[in-house]
Amino acid sequence: MEVRWRGVNPPKLGLLLTTINLIFSLLVGIRPTQALEMIVGKIPFLEAVNGSTVLLPCVYNSCIGIRNLYVNWQFNDNGTMQKVCEAVIRDEGVDTHMEIYRERVEFVGKNLANNISILLWNITFEDGGDYTCFGRNPKEKGRNHSAVFRLIVVDELRVVDNTLAILIASAVGGSIAALMGFMLLKNFTLYVLARMEEKNKECLVTSSGIDNTENGLSGSKAEAKPTPKKK
């Protein structure tokens, strides 16, 4: 059976159907990219002293929500990934029960939204390394994401040498003070010169008046000469 669309030529009809099929395929095939995200903070590392207690931060985020979200922490022990803890979060707002597989580890995110952070107590040098926060969301067809946080264990924290910063700050401050002093001196000098110029003008005017008086010009007080007598 041949189907004809009134007013549409067969070549144009084929092109139209192909375009429709392409658009439909694109719409059906669109899936969110990296909808699930695990976040360990803007600074994904920490330097801590041997024997101290540290927080390994991690929160998750999903633009379409979660259902039976699987999360865990793993420690990279010289290339071998060791599971630190794991949990399944059934839904948003549900308390999380974290299974702990390593000593001196405490889950601290149970009462905080989207938070799966953990504490490491009395850390040793063996605790130093990379910790991976992992999540897999079945609601997003098993999409998963992970983030790495590095722990550096040291004998003592390094003292930051601020000598260079202090020298730079002193130089900048001295330059600003010198510039302000120069501007004040310049303004004072201009003020003094202006006052001296005004006094010079006053002296010139006064001197001019005295000279005119002595020469008998207008406004002078010179004595009038007597009129000569006719013979």
Side-chain angles (χ1 to χ4, degrees), residues 45-49 152 154-162:
F45 65 89
L46 175 66
E47 189 172 284
V49 178
I152 305 169
V154 296
D155 282 325
E156 60 182 8
L157 296 179
R158 292 173 294 179
V159 178
V160 179
D161 187 3
N162 294 325

Side-chain angles (χ1 to χ4, degrees), residues 32-72:
T33 303
Q34 294 294 358
L36 176 66
E37 186 177 11
M38 314 302 288
I39 306 168
V40 293
K42 294 182 178 180
I43 304 177
F45 65 89
L46 175 66
E47 189 172 284
V49 178
N50 180 33
S52 60
T53 298
V54 298
L55 172 71
L56 303 186
C58 185
V59 295
Y60 64 86
N61 185 34
S62 176
C63 61
I64 65 172
I66 64 166
R67 183 178 297 115
N68 295 325
L69 172 66
Y70 172 76
V71 295
N72 69 28

Side-chain angles (χ1 to χ4, degrees), residues 126-186:
E126 287 73 19
D127 293 324
D130 292 337
Y131 290 80
T132 301
C133 180
F134 173 86
R136 182 174 63 246
N137 190 13
K139 192 174 182 179
E140 301 176 35
K141 296 183 179 181
R143 182 170 297 276
N144 60 70
H145 190 247
S146 61
V148 178
F149 189 88
R150 172 164 293 184
L151 175 63
I152 305 169
V153 183
V154 296
D155 282 325
E156 60 182 8
L157 296 179
R158 292 173 294 179
V159 178
V160 179
D161 187 3
N162 294 325
T163 304
L164 181 58
I166 293 174
L167 290 176
I168 294 175
S170 299
V172 173
S175 300
I176 294 175
L179 180 61
M180 294 180 63
F182 172 76
M183 295 300 296
L184 291 174
L185 180 61
K186 177 183 177 182

Side-chain angles (χ1 to χ4, degrees), residues 81-149:
M81 301 303 292
Q82 296 182 355
K83 191 178 294 183
V84 178
C85 58
E86 67 179 352
V88 175
I89 305 173
R90 289 179 297 154
D91 207 341
E92 300 282 355
V94 177
D95 290 341
T96 304
H97 173 70
M98 185 74 72
E99 295 288 343
I100 307 295
Y101 302 109
R102 188 167 177 159
E103 295 180 352
R104 298 176 287 107
V105 175
E106 180 185 355
F107 175 56
V108 295
K110 55 186 176 181
N111 295 323
L112 303 174
N114 300 2
N115 195 314
I116 54 173
S117 303
I118 58 175
L119 279 179
L120 297 184
W121 291 86
N122 301 321
I123 60 173
T124 64
F125 290 104
E126 287 73 19
D127 293 324
D130 292 337
Y131 290 80
T132 301
C133 180
F134 173 86
R136 182 174 63 246
N137 190 13
K139 192 174 182 179
E140 301 176 35
K141 296 183 179 181
R143 182 170 297 276
N144 60 70
H145 190 247
S146 61
V148 178
F149 189 88

